[in-house]
Amino acid sequence: MILGPDSSQGWRLGKWCCGILLYSASILAGSAVITHCPTNRIILAGSQCLASLEDLTPEVESSEPGAVASVTQYPLAGTGLGLGTNLVTLSVTDTNDQTSSCVTLITVVDATPPVIEWYLTNVVVAAGLGCLGWMPDLTETDYLVAADNCSSVTVTQSVAADTVLVLGTNEVVLGIVDEAGNAAYCTN
């Protein structure tokens, strides 16, 4: 990082690496520079698989608070952010019309398990020869209806289809898992 006088009665800030100037900015005397950008954060997706972006502008700190004309963010507060990492740019414009910006990462995650809307209980399997029955595939919509706020679901059963069953009660657990790994269970 270099800091040196500039011909415009201010300072010139820059960063060099391997003989290449990575960035530079002129800082006029009395210019506001962002000294603290809001911290990166993780927020939860809601029912429509979106998260509402909060207003991050109060968290921005400037080197010259009295010289700040405006603090803005893009996207705006209230914008619905989708799953994954979202970049939010915060900018401070000072009374000299100089702008300083920083970027905060907002990661939206799905932490909501699927909802089991309906499932058939007490499935009766007819016994065949030797008083044995065969486990049906209970992962089909004839036996279960489930939904998720963000993705499709995978349904599994604890006793595999076509397993030989003996007479009596055989407990089966159905697992419903979304693409984020959130799960819901029911017993049949």
Side-chain angles (χ1 to χ4, degrees):
M1 182 94 57
I2 58 168
L3 184 63
D6 191 344
S7 60
S8 60
Q9 298 182 349
W11 290 84
R12 184 135 192 95
L13 174 69
K15 181 166 183 165
W16 288 81
C17 177
C18 310
I20 300 170
L21 181 63
L22 298 177
Y23 66 83
S24 85
S26 291
I27 304 170
L28 298 175
S31 294
V33 174
I34 293 177
T35 58
H36 175 76
C37 196
T39 56
N40 298 336
R41 58 197 69 185
I42 297 172
I43 56 178
L44 302 178
S47 61
Q48 300 299 312
C49 203
L50 296 173
S52 181
L53 178 60
E54 63 186 288
D55 182 4
L56 300 175
T57 60
E59 297 179 41
V60 174
E61 294 177 12
S62 170
S63 60
E64 297 285 336
V68 173
S70 67
V71 179
T72 58
Q73 81 177 41
Y74 181 81
L76 298 173
T79 299
L81 301 177
L83 290 179
T85 302
N86 298 270
L87 302 177
V88 178
T89 302
L90 295 121
S91 300
V92 170
T93 302
D94 65 21
T95 54
N96 292 321
D97 206 27
Q98 299 292 310
T99 300
S100 177
S101 298
C102 67
V103 174
T104 296
L105 303 177
I106 306 294
T107 303
V108 179
V109 297
D110 173 16
T112 304
V115 174
I116 301 168
E117 296 173 352
W118 174 86
Y119 69 98
L120 185 62
T121 59
N122 300 323
V123 174
V124 177
V125 176
L129 294 171
C131 294
L132 300 174
W134 284 265
M135 174 59 71
D137 182 356
L138 299 177
T139 65
E140 301 297 323
T141 56
D142 293 346
Y143 298 98
L144 171 94
V145 175
D148 186 62
N149 65 324
C150 289
S151 65
S152 60
V153 296
T154 301
V155 181
T156 60
Q157 64 187 61
S158 62
V159 178
D162 297 325
T163 297
V164 176
L165 302 173
V166 296
L167 287 178
T169 301
N170 296 271
E171 184 176 273
V172 180
V173 177
L174 300 175
I176 298 85
V177 182
D178 68 15
E179 291 176 10
N182 303 307
Y185 300 94
C186 61
T187 302
N188 198 328

